Amino acid sequence: MSVTVRIPTPLRKLTAGADEVAVEATNIGELIENIEAAHPGLKARLCDDAGEIRRFVNVYVNDEDVRFLQGRATALKSGDEVSIVPAIAGGC
Amino acid sequence: MNIVRALKCRECGQEYEIQPTHVCEFCFGPLEVVYDYEKLEGFFTRELIESRPQTMWRYKELLPINGEPTVGVQNGFTPLVRAKNLEKALGVSELYIKNDSVCYPTLSFKDRVVSVALSKAVEFGFKTVACASTGNLAGSVAANAAAAGLESYVFIPHDLEQGKVLGAGIFGTKIIGITGEYDDVNRLCSEVAGKYGWAFVNVNVRPFYAEGSKSLGYEMMEQLGWKAPKHVVVPMASGSLCTKVAKSINEFIKLGLVEDNGTAIYGAQATGCSPIAKSVKEGSDLIHPVRAKTIAKSLAIGNPADGYYANRVIRETGGWAEDVSDEEVVAAMRLLAETEGIFAETAGGVTLGCARKMIESGKLPRDESIVLCITGNGLKTQEAVVDAIDKPRIISASLKEFDILAEADGVK
């Protein structure tokens, strides 16, 4: 059950510069744990002390914001693409 | 005099050297430009500012560039209009319109942020600039980049108003329409910015870009006779303008240029995209992203990056937030046009519509000074009102035919 995770620029120091990493996981919560095991330090960047995804971090599964899905419980299947994107501004 | 100290994370306080980056490496919090204000003591006076040309750059020490601006040198300094007719219509005693619908050169307040962002991009040595936009920003980036001799890419939702698409395309920019909402455009741009070495005004140079909005607040206070108003109403998409108007007031107070007038900041959103207003009304600081659905496309950001901070500014200053339906937006656009001769875009209808609602509910007092920030021009969002206004009555070039019309109108 391997999914591709796109790593944003500010986190690439933790992935030895890689902009994509492959991770085994069946849901987003598990993905965060497994990505932490492979690239220590990433979880603390993505989640607050309570383990919730940080306010300024957006996680997308195949272009859908996990906040509109089941958050950390959002299921993953082989071949899914996960993007981690810092919140950015526009409009007024 | 350069008083810029660093970029600082708004969440964890980590400081970074001035560079084209926008998020904290440690917590992903947004970075903000911080200054050493004490260096301006005794130097940055009302007299100095008044002696300078009437552009947003008369406040350049408080904008994060080195030395003189290189892009958008003439931008800003829009009229502050005392809205006597609108005062009567709304039953208030002191109302002003900060009219950025005539901002130079592309008729929206985005010319302020873009001139800072592109001046900074030139400083950093970028040759190509880009943005994710709901329309106004695209036009402003395209125009200001053209004038500065920079290449530009602008990314917009595919279904924007014709005036916004045309108002960017004419400048020879590379314009990309994304099938999806603004939030999808934003996400793509965040990834494009990571891959291509461009200055994305609202991604990697965003901390500098966002500071440009403060100039609207500085002008408002200078034009009021070096006074902060009691109440300011601003439209909210990401919530950035709301926070920057508050910052501009705090800076002027700190520098002794105005007295603290206890200014309250009010946010306006369209009901079809009102995550920030909803959080304020619920007394919460949690912003739940929404799927945007409103004619006020320039405000249609369902996942507002600065929503949390806008919420905090509103609550801390004793302001409020409101939202209005699309019908109320159109009605307010007409009201502003018919009372003050100002044709604002849909976002202006949102601002006035929400102000009206807050006056009626008592959230905005009737007997204290109120400034409404009108941020864009109605000629770019004609679709919204085209069915609501009278069509011309067609007659031949005959005095007799006109006499009949005049009589019907009751003209003596």
Side-chain angles (χ1 to χ4, degrees), chain B residues 393 395-409 411:
Chain B
R393 290 174 282 177
I395 58 173
S396 59
S398 144
L399 183 58
K400 208 178 255 175
E401 283 190 39
F402 180 72
D403 286 342
I404 295 169
L405 284 191
E407 200 184 338
D409 284 352
V411 179

Side-chain angles (χ1 to χ4, degrees), chain A residues 85-92, chain B residues 110 113-114 129-142 152-157 160 168 173-178 181-193 198-206 209 237-238 297-298 300-301:
Chain A
V85 178
I88 62 172
C92 302
Chain B
K110 290 296 180 189
V113 285
V114 167
V129 296
C131 69
S133 174
T134 55
N136 282 324
L137 182 58
S140 186
V141 165
S152 66
Y153 270 82
V154 302
F155 296 76
I156 55 173
L160 278 191
T173 183
K174 298 194 173 59
I175 186 165
I176 317 290
I178 307 299
E181 299 169 22
Y182 176 77
D183 296 285
D184 301 309
V185 181
N186 223 1
R187 182 180 60 78
L188 171 68
C189 285
S190 189
E191 296 186 293
V192 173
W198 299 339
F200 259 88
V201 303
N202 51 345
V203 185
N204 54 343
V205 288
R206 174 179 157 205
Y209 154 94
S238 69
K297 294 182 182 179
S298 64
I301 297 183

Side-chain angles (χ1 to χ4, degrees), chain B residues 84-129:
Chain B
K84 286 276 187 191
N85 297 328
L86 196 48
E87 283 173 5
K88 277 193 206 117
L90 298 176
V92 296
S93 64
E94 193 182 351
L95 183 69
Y96 303 87
I97 306 289
K98 180 59 178 161
N99 187 9
D100 264 20
S101 76
V102 292
C103 202
Y104 182 81
T106 65
L107 308 178
S108 92
F109 90 110
K110 290 296 180 189
D111 291 324
R112 301 175 181 281
V113 285
V114 167
S115 56
V116 176
L118 298 199
S119 289
K120 204 66 196 175
V122 169
E123 257 179 49
F124 286 135
F126 288 102
K127 303 284 183 252
T128 302
V129 296

Side-chain angles (χ1 to χ4, degrees), chain A residues 6 45 63-64 88 91, chain B residues 25-26 110 186-187 291:
Chain A
R6 288 211 285 272
R45 306 293 171 84
D63 299 339
E64 187 73 25
I88 62 172
Chain B
E25 284 176 21
F26 292 90
K110 290 296 180 189
N186 223 1
R187 182 180 60 78
R291 294 251 178 256

